[in-house]
Amino acid sequence: MRSKNNSCLIALTMGTIFLFMVVFYGATNLHPSSGVKLKTDFQISGKQLYKLDISWPKYSEHFTGQVFGVAVNHLAGLVYVAQRGDNVPKVLVFSTDGDFLQAWNTTTLEMPHGIFLANASSNPSIWITDVGNGPYGHTIKQYSPSGKLMQTLGSAGKAGSAVNPLQFDQPAEIFVHSSGEIYIVDGDGGMNNRLIKLSKDLQILWMHGEKGQGLAQFYIPHSVAVDNYQRVWVADRGNKRIQVFNSVTGDWLGSWGSCFTEDAPYSVRLTHDQKYMVVAQLNTNQVSLLEAPPVGIIGQCQVVSTIQLAEDVKPHLVDIDLKTGALYVAEIGAMQAQKFTPLTLGSNVM
Ligand SMILES: *[C@@H]1O[C@H](CO)[C@@H](O)[C@H](O)[C@H]1NC(C)=O
Ligand SMILES: *[C@@H]1O[C@H](CO)[C@@H](O)[C@H](O)[C@H]1NC(C)=O
């Protein structure tokens, strides 16, 4: 429709420009110490539980690829950031204070997806799922804290569905319980749609392996976490829901879908106090905090707080510092990881 009134059109245009400036002001901030642009704009709706720690990391120029995953060693105060790209180190190590410490010089990682810090208390190691198609892909690898490959699950470079020996196709994430038992979601869009529980000595204890929309079936199981009440939480990405299982028996306990009509859950992690489930939603650029239900009840999901990140940030997977409660978000689009610290009062300050 053409406007008959030019001044009205000009006013409208200027109004739009003004609005645009208001909305996008601060969408990219110059990082104080490095001059590298970080996307640090965000808004919180609902209860204000976290605030962004703009000083982490101190030097952001170390981010050189697409950041897919993040893992925290809360006892050593270390943050492992997994990134992808040609000729970039696949893992960067920062302190929880924001100092850059090390880039792994390893050729054994192709396309890291999920990353998990296991056994922080006595003998820490870092598990990484690799969805690459090359000679190291379709495997889950265990590394020493300095990046030495210690163990590989699955035959590298061979996508498959076998259970004996275990074979993966784009394994999405691994969660290693303090008991040493291992939970794996396989995978990230390949031929498998499996949730696998392994014993400490890598024997299959139970598995759900059917593709579909029914109970205990999956379509792109993307992230897995176990809470303190023997419940396994799985981000069933392609089905836009979270499914919950008994960690001992593997029995299906429930499903949450109503919070994810707009965008699928990409991550599942519980806050250190087990009060909230942290769910990244990549397409809507949100990190949502959902009420974790009491023992014996799954019920319906309830969003308590939402961190709305800037456009195209694409939050993918998250991790929690189990000591301080800090939340780290791996962001594919913004090519960075961000740290959010909990507000100690946790009350509604909006
Ligand atoms: C990385 O490893 C390669 C091969 O071992 C070596 O040539 C190179 O110097 C190493 N680079 C760094 C920064 O350690
Ligand atoms: C952690 O490491 C210690 C020391 O190597 C080992 O004895 C223990 O079994 C490990 N725990 C788990 C859960 O892997």
Side-chain angles (χ1 to χ4, degrees):
M1 214 167 72
R2 194 184 315 169
S3 169
K4 286 177 190 160
N5 186 332
N6 270 347
S7 62
C8 179
L9 186 66
I10 288 165
L12 192 70
T13 308
M14 288 180 66
T16 308
I17 290 169
F18 179 70
L19 194 68
F20 185 83
M21 285 168 66
V22 169
V23 170
F24 286 91
Y25 175 74
T28 53
N29 287 353
L30 274 184
H31 196 271
S33 32
S34 67
V36 171
K37 271 187 181 178
L38 285 177
K39 283 199 167 192
T40 54
D41 192 37
F42 72 102
Q43 285 180 337
I44 290 179
S45 55
K47 215 171 185 180
Q48 189 155 3
L49 298 170
Y50 289 92
K51 61 177 193 296
L52 177 68
D53 181 349
I54 186 114
S55 68
W56 193 95
K58 288 176 183 156
Y59 298 95
S60 56
E61 73 251 20
H62 298 287
F63 296 132
T64 44
Q66 295 181 309
V67 175
F68 270 73
V70 62
V72 185
N73 183 337
H74 63 290
L75 295 179
L78 299 174
V79 183
Y80 295 83
V81 175
Q83 60 172 9
R84 290 188 199 168
D86 293 334
N87 303 313
V88 304
K90 299 293 156 62
V91 175
L92 307 171
V93 189
F94 296 90
S95 76
T96 48
D97 292 334
D99 293 309
F100 173 75
L101 302 175
Q102 192 193 12
W104 283 8
N105 186 18
T106 178
T107 54
T108 59
L109 268 175
E110 287 175 17
M111 293 175 72
H113 189 271
I115 178 166
F116 190 86
L117 192 293
N119 207 357
S121 56
S122 45
N123 191 11
S125 63
I126 296 95
W127 289 88
I128 301 179
T129 70
D130 193 333
V131 301
N133 276 315
Y136 294 103
H138 300 300
T139 54
I140 302 178
K141 286 167 279 201
Q142 184 184 23
Y143 288 89
S144 76
S146 60
K148 186 170 174 284
L149 181 59
M150 294 160 62
Q151 179 174 208
T152 304
L153 308 187
S155 289
K158 293 191 181 121
S161 304
V163 289
N164 191 17
L166 254 183
Q167 192 57 55
F168 309 102
D169 186 0
Q170 301 177 40
E173 201 179 53
I174 177 170
F175 185 101
V176 183
H177 192 261
S178 54
S179 64
E181 291 171 330
I182 292 173
Y183 300 81
I184 292 165
V185 277
D186 173 32
D188 185 40
M191 64 180 106
N192 301 329
N193 290 276
R194 308 189 292 190
L195 166 64
I196 304 166
K197 179 178 182 183
L198 301 178
S199 64
K200 207 173 161 179
D201 55 356
L202 305 176
Q203 301 304 305
I204 294 183
L205 295 177
W206 52 259
M207 178 171 102
H208 292 290
E210 259 180 67
K211 180 180 178 178
Q213 300 174 351
L215 308 186
Q217 297 179 329
F218 297 105
Y219 181 41
I220 314 184
H222 194 260
S223 178
V224 58
V226 182
D227 69 14
N228 290 352
Y229 311 109
Q230 300 189 334
R231 296 183 294 198
V232 187
W233 299 80
V234 177
D236 185 9
R237 198 185 98 187
N239 285 325
K240 287 189 163 182
R241 66 182 178 184
I242 286 175
Q243 293 201 75
V244 197
F245 301 86
N246 180 303
S247 67
V248 179
T249 62
D251 288 344
W252 183 89
L253 297 178
S255 176
W256 281 354
S258 58
C259 299
F260 310 114
T261 50
E262 221 187 314
D263 192 14
Y266 277 65
S267 73
V268 278
R269 277 292 179 275
L270 285 124
T271 52
H272 65 314
D273 56 11
Q274 303 275 302
K275 271 189 175 166
Y276 304 105
M277 177 75 58
V278 187
V279 178
Q281 293 176 279
L282 180 136
N283 300 293
T284 51
N285 302 297
Q286 289 172 329
V287 177
S288 297
L289 288 119
L290 280 54
E291 192 93 55
V295 183
I297 297 171
I298 301 299
Q300 283 303 306
C301 56
Q302 207 185 324
V303 177
V304 175
S305 176
T306 300
I307 304 172
Q308 179 67 57
L309 302 165
E311 215 176 329
D312 297 327
V313 163
K314 298 196 193 314
H316 184 243
L317 291 170
V318 305
D319 203 17
I320 302 281
D321 184 323
L322 297 175
K323 189 166 146 197
T324 65
L327 158 65
Y328 293 84
V329 182
E331 300 169 350
I332 297 175
M335 298 174 70
Q336 65 187 15
Q338 292 198 94
K339 176 185 183 182
F340 293 85
T341 51
L343 294 173
T344 41
L345 295 176
S347 57
N348 195 339
V349 297
M350 295 290 284

